């Protein structure tokens, strides 16, 4: 199963956070890698969306839709800064 | 009424059979690959299966030891929480009852842990009594890495996210410990016939 | 909610769908839309499609390739008709975008349907009468599969700073003198602007191609922030 990237969840992120986030800068909480959201590795429909660090593979973000609500865990990030 | 796309039916091709398809599911004839991460590639020489936690002695099996255990061929329907069900899937595997033979425990819960870090929790009761296996073959051939090979947990009576791919062991616990999806709000048990998709269902 | 106003046959499996989108806010070349289909029993499926039209174009367009095992693309290519409604969300995307004001020289690399957002960038350059130098490298399986071939080759023939290079990876027609095979480091080194010119690159297509090209460009001296990528893949 291959991955796509943060561009693929641009619409989802905008629905959840009400802002365009693909150019936001993320810092991995595990290895410190800095990357724009568009460059993060995204696995979809697994059942939710899992976003991983492109360098170390650690889970940065998990998103699921539960009973019509988006549930988001940003715990794998050390930082997320708007562009 | 919400907008309907004229003429759209989706990929659903299978024919639902009465009593076989849990509520909210549709029949799928393909076998979709869903994964939360990259496909691990553990060489068989390095593969082990461990039973640990609330046990007197942790038990570790090598691949050869695992394959030397008595195994079964079973045909079961599987149900994914993303709403597809696949009927009559055939697997070969070692029953979890066999793996737990001789293991003394008072644990009521288990967490399956896997290469790549995935975990899922379920009541120990849902792993025993001939309801769960560690499967190493699907449809007569060695289990494809994309589908969880060399071995995955197989718990067909629960939603398929409990059938953890690339399983490397079971941790037996006296308390329930939410796994990868359960921690985000998916159900701790996941019975498709009771539509236990999310916590609180 | 958009209305389908025209459908253009690009290749045997590819259609460009022109849409009338009420309250469309305008878009940037490179952005995409999320399309959602709903069956009569409420079943839904959603996919993202790059916008194929330039911001200056009269109609919003998406280009869709029918995938053999697809769920949404066979409907959009095989069933959708002029006059149908199409639910979509967008435009979306703030990273993989190019405006003429971003300058160049510009390297655009597309694999298969990865050429779609790049075509929007090329059309935008034309509409804005920009002279930013652009090299577009497109990989297709066969010549018949090369989306927008006539349009892109026609624009390149104007000689106003756009060059288009095709490579055919699976099969070439008799007498083909162009590049063959997939995009590799050798072809990149030949076609890409030298790193010393501080080019801006956009790479779009299947994940494998994007990873290989992006790392190849970084090795050719492209600044890491100057190579923007968009990976297409199975998403349903």
């Amino acid at each position: 199963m291959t991955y796509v990237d943060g561009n693929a969840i641009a619409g989802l992120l905008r629905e959840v956070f009400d802002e365009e986030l693909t150019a936001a800068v993320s810092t991995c909480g595990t290895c410190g890698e800095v990357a724009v959201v568009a460059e993060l590795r995204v696995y979809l429909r697994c059942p939710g969306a899992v976003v991983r660090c492109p360098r170390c593979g650690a889970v940065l973000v998990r998103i699921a839709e539960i009973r019509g609500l988006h549930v988001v865990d940003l715990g794998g990030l050390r930082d997320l800064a708007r562009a | 009424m919400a907008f309907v796309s004229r003429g759209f039916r989706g990929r659903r091709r299978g024919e639902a059979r009465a009593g076989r398809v849990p509520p909210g599911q549709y029949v799928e004839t393909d076998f979709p690959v869903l994964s939360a991460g990259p496909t691990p590639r553990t060489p068989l020489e390095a593969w082990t299966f461990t039973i640990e936690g609330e046990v007197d002695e942790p038990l570790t099996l090598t691949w050869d030891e695992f394959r030397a255990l008595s195994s079964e061929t079973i045909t079961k329907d599987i149900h994914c929480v993303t709403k597809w069900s696949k009927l009559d899937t055939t697997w070969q595997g070692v029953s979890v009852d066999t793996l737990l033979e001789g293991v003394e425990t008072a644990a009521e819960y288990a967490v399956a842990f896997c290469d790549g870090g995935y975990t899922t929790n379920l009541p120990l009761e849902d792993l025993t009594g001939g309801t769960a296996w560690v499967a190493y073959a699907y449809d007569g051939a060695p289990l494809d890495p994309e589908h969880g090979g060399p071995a995955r947990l197989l718990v067909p009576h629960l939603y398929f996210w409990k059938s953890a791919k690339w399983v490397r062991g079971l941790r037996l616990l006296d308390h329930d410990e939410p796994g990868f999806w359960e921690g985000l709000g998916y159900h701790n048990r996941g019975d498709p016939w009771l539509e236990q998709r999310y916590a609180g269902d | 909610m958009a209305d389908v106003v025209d459908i253009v046959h690009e290749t045997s499996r590819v259609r460009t769908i022109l849409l009338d989108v009420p309250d469309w806010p305008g878009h940037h070349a490179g952005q995409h839309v999320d399309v959602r289909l709903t069956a009569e029993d409420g079943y839904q499926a959603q996919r993202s499609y790059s916008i194929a039209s330039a911001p200056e174009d009269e109609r919003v367009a998406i280009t869709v390739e029918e995938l053999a095992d697809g769920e949404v693309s066979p409907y959009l290519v095989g069933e959708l008709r002029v006059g149908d409604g199409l639910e979509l969300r967008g435009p979306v995307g703030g990273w993989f975008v190019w405006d003429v004001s971003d300058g160049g020289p510009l390297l655009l690399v597309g694999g298969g349907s990865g050429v779609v957002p790049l075509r929007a960038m090329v059309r935008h350059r034309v509409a804005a009468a920009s002279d930013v130098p652009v090299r577009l490298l497109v990989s297709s399986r066969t010549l018949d599969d090369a989306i927008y071939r006539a349009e892109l080759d026609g624009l390149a023939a104007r000689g106003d700073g756009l060059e288009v290079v095709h490579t055919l990876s699976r099969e070439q027609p008799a007498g083909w003198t162009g590049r063959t095979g997939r995009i590799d480091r050798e072809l990149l080194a030949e076609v890409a602007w030298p790193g010393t010119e501080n080019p801006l690159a956009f790479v779009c297509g299947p994940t494998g191609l994007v990873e290989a090209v992006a790392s190849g460009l970084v090795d050719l001296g492209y600044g890491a922030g100057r190579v923007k990528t968009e990976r297409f893949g199975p998403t349903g």
Side-chain angles (χ1 to χ4, degrees):
Chain A
M1 166 103 189
T2 191
Y3 52 89
V4 285
D5 57 35
N7 294 297
I9 52 170
L12 173 61
L13 290 175
R14 209 169 67 182
E15 212 176 275
V16 173
F17 294 100
D18 208 29
E19 53 183 295
E20 181 54 61
L21 281 175
T22 48
V25 179
S26 72
T27 304
C28 175
T30 301
C31 76
E33 172 85 345
V34 173
V36 291
V37 168
E39 293 285 346
L40 301 178
R41 296 199 175 175
V42 171
Y43 295 83
L44 292 174
R45 271 203 95 220
C46 38
V50 174
V51 181
R52 290 180 179 266
C53 174
R55 186 165 90 190
C56 75
V59 173
L60 302 177
V61 179
R62 295 178 293 162
I63 308 176
E65 196 179 316
I66 293 183
R67 294 200 203 89
L69 292 178
H70 289 115
V71 180
V72 185
D73 172 21
L74 301 172
L77 291 169
R78 179 176 304 158
D79 191 43
L80 182 65
R82 287 175 189 78
Chain B
M1 161 125 183
F3 174 74
V4 168
S5 310
R6 181 201 56 77
F8 175 64
R9 277 198 64 249
R11 199 193 274 120
R12 303 167 290 173
R13 293 183 216 106
E15 214 184 271
R17 277 170 258 175
R20 296 283 294 275
V21 182
Q25 302 288 109
Y26 66 90
V27 175
E28 173 66 72
T29 49
D30 287 339
F31 196 165
V33 174
L34 304 177
S35 179
T39 301
R41 311 247 171 211
T42 301
L44 295 179
E45 318 83 72
W47 186 96
T48 56
F49 187 88
T50 302
I51 298 177
E52 59 183 43
E54 288 293 315
V55 294
D56 288 334
E57 278 284 325
L59 165 68
T60 298
L61 300 167
T62 62
W63 178 257
D64 290 340
E65 288 166 340
F66 165 67
R67 292 290 275 111
L69 297 172
S70 69
S71 65
E72 317 173 70
T73 299
I74 61 255
T75 300
K76 294 287 180 188
D77 299 339
I78 60 178
H79 312 289
C80 180
V81 74
T82 62
K83 307 209 167 173
W84 57 265
S85 288
K86 192 165 165 63
L87 307 183
D88 298 320
T89 62
T90 300
W91 306 81
Q92 224 172 310
V94 176
S95 165
V96 174
D97 295 305
T98 301
L99 291 166
L100 290 176
E101 241 165 63
V103 172
E104 300 271 328
T105 183
E108 288 179 24
Y109 302 96
V111 169
F113 54 90
C114 313
D115 282 332
Y118 182 79
T119 56
T120 186
N121 62 306
L122 59 171
L124 188 54
E125 202 171 60
D126 284 299
L127 284 170
T128 53
T131 62
W133 296 263
V134 175
Y136 54 82
Y138 169 72
D139 212 24
L143 188 58
D144 201 278
E146 278 207 320
H147 281 298
R152 74 179 298 162
L153 187 61
L154 178 66
V155 192
H157 71 282
L158 300 178
Y159 281 120
F160 218 51
W161 92 76
K162 303 283 182 181
S163 291
K165 296 201 275 198
W166 312 300
V167 72
R168 294 295 302 275
L170 295 171
R171 189 169 305 126
L172 306 185
L173 302 163
D174 61 6
H175 60 278
D176 210 358
E177 209 171 87
F180 188 86
W181 289 117
E182 296 85 357
L184 200 61
Y186 282 79
H187 203 275
N188 279 328
R189 190 172 170 255
D191 183 335
W193 294 98
L194 302 174
E195 251 194 306
Q196 293 176 337
R197 298 177 196 269
Y198 313 117
D201 279 343
Chain C
M1 176 63 60
D3 289 310
V4 178
V5 299
D6 201 2
I7 298 175
V8 175
H9 179 117
E10 302 282 358
T11 75
S12 60
R13 288 174 308 122
V14 178
R15 304 285 180 273
T16 292
I17 300 165
L18 285 94
L19 301 158
D20 177 25
V21 190
D23 303 320
W24 181 250
H27 69 280
H28 297 280
Q31 289 188 301
H32 61 270
V33 292
D34 294 335
V35 169
R36 183 170 73 180
L37 304 179
T38 306
E40 272 184 18
D41 64 356
Y43 176 83
Q44 291 188 321
Q46 182 187 295
R47 300 292 185 273
S48 301
Y49 294 101
S50 291
I51 299 169
S53 51
E56 297 86 351
D57 286 341
E58 195 193 324
R59 298 280 186 203
V60 178
I62 59 173
T63 297
V64 179
E65 176 182 0
E66 176 170 6
L67 302 178
D69 55 353
E71 180 167 39
V72 170
S73 63
Y75 173 81
L76 296 177
V77 171
E79 178 66 47
L80 193 72
R81 299 181 210 144
V82 171
D84 280 340
L86 195 62
E87 237 189 317
L88 57 83
R89 167 173 75 188
V92 196
W95 175 253
F96 195 83
V97 290
W98 183 74
D99 291 311
V100 293
S101 56
D102 294 328
L106 195 60
L107 177 70
L108 307 177
V109 182
S113 54
V115 71
V116 176
L118 308 180
R119 183 250 202 180
M121 294 175 186
V122 166
R123 289 180 68 87
H124 167 55
R125 176 187 179 273
V126 171
S130 159
D131 59 4
V132 168
V134 177
R135 283 190 191 152
L136 169 62
L137 172 58
V138 185
S139 172
S140 311
R141 275 175 290 241
T142 71
L143 196 58
D144 286 342
D145 290 323
I147 309 170
Y148 318 124
R149 180 170 64 93
E151 175 188 349
L152 295 172
D153 289 350
L155 290 173
R158 286 155 66 156
D160 65 357
L162 166 69
E163 295 168 68
V164 176
V165 176
H166 290 281
T167 183
L168 303 181
S169 61
R170 188 176 293 174
E171 200 185 282
Q172 304 82 38
W176 175 256
T177 55
R179 267 69 163 211
T180 62
R182 294 177 178 213
I183 300 174
D184 57 17
R185 285 174 176 241
E186 199 185 304
L187 181 56
L188 267 186
E190 250 183 77
V191 175
W193 302 106
T196 47
E197 300 194 19
N198 195 28
L200 187 51
F202 289 86
V203 186
C204 184
T207 296
L209 176 148
V210 169
E211 299 290 8
V213 170
S215 80
L217 291 175
V218 168
D219 287 350
L220 286 172
Y222 280 54
R226 303 280 287 171
V227 178
K228 297 194 172 186
T229 55
E230 179 152 336
R231 294 157 184 77
F232 286 176
T235 54

